[in-house]
């Protein structure tokens, strides 16, 4: 008998169940989405309270200027996202993108100062960015560089977790990885002293695109 | 109970007598208490009590249909290109990881914080086979270097000072002595970054296993779990079989409770929802995904409906922070990786009550744990059940049982009770100036009483007993 069969067997004996037996109805509840009048403002407020740095951009050129100012000549890796192409960020000096393979992208992410991406959704009530692993949102761009900059369309800011799970009932259907990012990486493991940027980025910028 | 039943008695005294450690435990737990309190207050989370009740019901439903959900998660993980591996015990987990590493030719493993892998002493086994397994959560990394086990479920190194950290880093990494936590963190970051990029296998725990999605959910603040699950070629998630929840929707309940109860955060910095290896169009992520589901004693808890709820725990640590016993004796005086009230109920159940029979008794039954538990586990009820079992098993010895039968007999007879009360008051010492009693002299210096007094002081007896005061006052009216 395999460990699997032993374990399932013991569970069924303990619970008095038969193999293949169905289940009682599961506890049901509704996802209640809070109505928030100004999600952009709330997102910025909550994001900032976590030591994130919010910026508003009213048009593509403002977004470009903001990102340029953050980069300030430092090296960056950008995800191949239409929004980033549109604003001209991919053409900024010092910004690398479109890598021939995963290894090249990984090495660039490990060496650069800044990772630039978008986020599929954001959550207003917790100041969270929601990223799915996909060609335009690689996992490592928001993870390896010490600074992360995300371009967020204002229209993609949701109220909160309930809203997200209503739209995306099963995240696994879309991607192998959905990550909710709520502020900069932090630790308080030494004497409970808060330190940012332990493994992930210690500085996180959200450039909210109010025009889309 | 016999004082000799308490194996770590000397160790406990050492903890109690260490003012630095006492302050560290007290301030750390107090901070977590304060943060939680704000985060679950009515203005911050009006639905808090409803969410707790719902979380309890969802967990009960899942555990009571565990065979169904385990088969579901197995098929869903397979559908996403991953593999579920069932393990009976610690050895099987280590065997699986060892064999996989050998088969794939991997030598370096990065690990993110996981209580389940602490349970199985995975690192020792791996190291004895010349594999390097590196803990990457900052606190866990320091503990690994110092060869210690976690002090707290959520704050594993809360007992260490920055000076301890400086010693550990200098000794193990050969770096210059550095006492600034900010710089210490930088040193650890740089060292561990190399490991992440080099490692072939990443091991994480799982806070939740979402059966319907075939996914694991990992919450953290540092980013080391994201790195462990994204940078290496192979991702292994290791979880106890009780970590299941039915569907992603349930996260709306559990994520709202977990961060708030643990550290007062509405959401931790990173919440990763991971299902299988990278998909074809994805630019990065692991090529292989394994979900190891460990029994390790858990199925033993299922049969008794009254104790089953011990398996609902989501490891938030709130019961530790609020426990007056944990706050004095700290984490290392509990016999296993799980400390505090949750440790006191699951350790004897996983290992058998014969092994640490004193554990269910190391509680004042004040109920603080049950009050803060986000999944409403009635810890005091389970403690009482376990006490009953320990006593029924005869582990407490005939002397104690006789003593308590005698006690019960006296308590049930008012005349006898006042007689013994009067005798005790007559012989009790009366320290000067109303000071409290610290020691008893003959004939009251019986071993159990002396043991009791070794930890506590007793107020001197009143000149007139409560019962006689009551009588005379009643008469005066
Ligand atoms: S028993 Fe409850 S309070 Fe204690 S760690 Fe588990 S979930 Fe948290």
């Amino acid at each position: 008998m395999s460990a699997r069969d032993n374990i399932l067997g013991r569970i069924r004996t303990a619970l008095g169940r038969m193999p293949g037996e169905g289940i009682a109805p599961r506890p049901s509840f509704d996802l209640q989405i809070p109505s928030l009048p100004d999600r952009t403002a709330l997102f910025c407020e909550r994001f900032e309270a976590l030591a994130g740095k919010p910026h508003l951009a009213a048009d593509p050129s403002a977004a470009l200027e903001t990102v340029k100012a953050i980069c300030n000549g430092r090296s960056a890796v950008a995800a191949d996202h239409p929004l980033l192409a549109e604003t001209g960020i991919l053409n900024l000096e010092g910004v690398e993108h479109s890598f021939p393979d995963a290894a090249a992208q990984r090495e660039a992410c490990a060496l650069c100062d800044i990772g630039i991406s978008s986020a599929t959704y954001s959550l207003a009530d917790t100041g969270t960015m929601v990223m799915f692993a996909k060609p335009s949102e690689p996992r490592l761009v928001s993870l390896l560089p010490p600074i992360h900059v995300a371009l967020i369309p204002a229209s993609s800011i949701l109220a909160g977790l309930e809203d997200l799970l209503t739209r995306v009932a099963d995240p696994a259907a879309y991607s192998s990885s959905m990550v909710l990012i709520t502020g900069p990486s932090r630790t308080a493991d030494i004497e409970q002293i808060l330190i940012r940027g332990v493994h992930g980025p210690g500085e996180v910028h959200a450039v909210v695109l109010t025009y889309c | 109970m016999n004082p000799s039943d308490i194996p770590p008695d000397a160790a406990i005294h050492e903890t109690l007598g260490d003012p630095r450690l006492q302050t560290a435990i007290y301030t750390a737990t107090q901070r977590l208490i304060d943060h939680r309190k704000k985060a679950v207050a009515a203005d911050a989370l009006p639905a808090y009590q409803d969410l707790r009740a719902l979380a309890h019901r969802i967990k009960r439903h899942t555990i009571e249909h565990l065979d169904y959900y385990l088969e579901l998660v197995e098929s869903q993980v397979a559908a996403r290109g991953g593999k579920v591996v069932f393990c009976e015990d610690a050895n099987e987990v280590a065997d699986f990881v060892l064999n996989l590493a050998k088969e794939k030719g991997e030598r370096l493993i990065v690990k993110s914080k996981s209580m389940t892998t602490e349970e199985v002493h995975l690192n020792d086994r791996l190291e004895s086979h010349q594999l390097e397994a590196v803990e990457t959560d900052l606190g866990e990394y320091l503990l690994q270097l110092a060869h210690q086990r976690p002090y707290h479920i959520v704050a594993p190194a809360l007992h260490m000072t920055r000076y301890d950290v400086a010693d550990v880093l200098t000794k193990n990494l050969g770096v210059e002595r550095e006492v600034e936590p900010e710089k210490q963190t930088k040193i650890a970051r740089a060292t561990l970054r190399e490991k992440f990029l080099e490692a072939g296998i990443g091991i994480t725990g799982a806070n939740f296993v979402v059966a319907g999605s075939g996914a694991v959910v990992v919450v953290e603040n540092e980013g080391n779990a994201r790195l462990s699950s994204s940078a290496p070629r192979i991702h292994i998630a290791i979880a106890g079989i009780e970590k299941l929840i039915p569907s992603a929707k349930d996260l709306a309940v559990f994520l709202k409770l977990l961060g708030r109860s643990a550290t007062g955060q509405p959401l931790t910095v990173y919440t990763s929802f991971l299902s299988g290896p990278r998909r074809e169009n994805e630019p990065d992520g692991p090529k292989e995904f394994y979900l190891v589901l460990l029994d390790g004693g858990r199925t033993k808890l299922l049969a008794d409906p009254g104790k089953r709820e011990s398996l609902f725990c989501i490891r938030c640590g709130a019961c530790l922070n609020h426990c007056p016993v944990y706050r004095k004796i700290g984490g290392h005086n509990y016999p296993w990786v799980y400390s505090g009230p949750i440790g006191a109920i699951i350790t004897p159940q996983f290992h058998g009550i014969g092994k640490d029979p004193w554990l269910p008794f190391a509680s004042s039954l004040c109920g603080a744990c049950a009050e803060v538990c986000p999944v409403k586990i009635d810890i005091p009820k389970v403690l009482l059940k376990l006490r009953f079992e320990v006593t029924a098993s005869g582990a407490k010895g005939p002397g104690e049982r006789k003593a308590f039968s005698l006690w019960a007999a006296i308590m049930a007879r008012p005349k006898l009770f006042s007689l013994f009360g009067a005798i005790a008051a007559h012989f009790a010492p009366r320290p000067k100036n109303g000071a409290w009693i610290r020691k008893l002299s003959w004939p009251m210096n019986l071993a159990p009483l002396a043991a009791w007094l070794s930890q506590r002081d007793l107020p001197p007896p009143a000149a007139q007993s409560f019962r006689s005061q009551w009588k005379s006052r009643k008469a005066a009216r």
Side-chain angles (χ1 to χ4, degrees), chain B residues 153 258 261 309-310 312-320 339 341-343 345 369-370 372-377 379:
Chain B
I153 298 179
L258 177 56
S261 302
E309 61 190 79
S310 315
F312 299 179
C313 174
I314 57 172
R315 309 273 188 262
C316 73
C319 58
L320 279 63
S339 52
I342 184 62
I345 63 170
C369 47
V372 297
C373 177
V375 285
K376 292 189 96 158
I377 301 174
I379 296 175

Side-chain angles (χ1 to χ4, degrees), chain B residues 99-113:
Chain B
N99 290 335
L100 187 72
K102 264 191 207 144
E103 186 193 319
K104 308 281 173 185
E106 300 295 351
R107 264 207 65 257
L108 178 61
I109 298 173
V110 282
K111 274 187 65 206
S112 74
K113 186 170 178 300

Side-chain angles (χ1 to χ4, degrees), chain A:
Chain A
M1 284 263 278
S2 65
R4 172 191 187 276
D5 296 342
N6 286 335
I7 293 171
L8 288 175
R10 281 198 300 273
I11 293 172
R12 290 190 176 118
T13 310
L15 298 173
R17 285 174 51 81
M18 300 296 289
E21 195 177 326
I23 53 169
R26 51 147 300 156
S28 68
F29 63 96
D30 294 327
L31 291 171
Q32 278 165 11
I33 302 167
S35 68
L36 300 172
D38 191 346
R39 293 175 179 185
T40 299
L42 183 63
F43 171 81
C44 291
E45 181 197 316
R46 297 284 153 93
F47 183 65
E48 199 163 17
L50 299 159
K53 299 196 168 132
H55 312 264
L56 296 178
D59 55 49
S61 69
L64 179 67
E65 283 314 308
T66 307
V67 173
K68 207 169 151 186
I70 296 169
C71 289
N72 195 17
R74 289 179 289 187
S75 62
V77 167
D80 288 306
H81 194 284
L83 268 178
L84 271 64
E86 225 172 81
T87 46
I89 289 171
L90 297 185
N91 302 325
L92 278 176
E93 209 182 302
V95 174
E96 285 182 87
H97 65 97
S98 304
F99 297 90
D101 56 36
Q105 175 168 45
R106 174 186 166 115
E107 190 170 321
C109 287
L111 294 174
C112 73
D113 299 314
I114 302 169
I116 310 171
S117 74
S118 181
T120 305
Y121 296 110
S122 300
L123 310 180
D125 69 355
T126 47
T128 300
M129 307 193 287
V130 185
M131 312 200 40
F132 290 84
K134 56 185 176 185
S136 57
E137 284 171 33
R139 298 188 189 206
L140 297 181
V141 172
S142 61
L143 184 54
L144 288 179
I147 301 171
H148 175 214
V149 182
L151 264 63
I152 293 171
S155 60
S156 69
I157 302 180
L158 312 177
L161 203 53
E162 292 85 353
D163 206 348
L164 175 69
L165 292 167
T166 304
R167 279 164 205 252
V168 187
D170 181 11
Y174 300 91
S175 165
S176 72
S177 160
M178 174 182 82
V179 185
L180 316 188
I181 302 177
T182 309
S185 153
R186 59 187 246 184
T187 184
D189 275 348
I190 304 174
E191 294 190 0
Q192 303 255 305
I193 295 164
L194 181 67
I195 290 159
R196 298 208 163 82
V198 51
H199 289 300
E203 192 180 317
V204 184
H205 297 262
V207 182
V208 182
L209 312 177
T210 54
Y211 60 91
C212 67

Side-chain angles (χ1 to χ4, degrees), chain B residues 101-102 122 139 254 447 464:
Chain B
K102 264 191 207 144
L122 187 59
F254 289 102
Q464 205 187 354

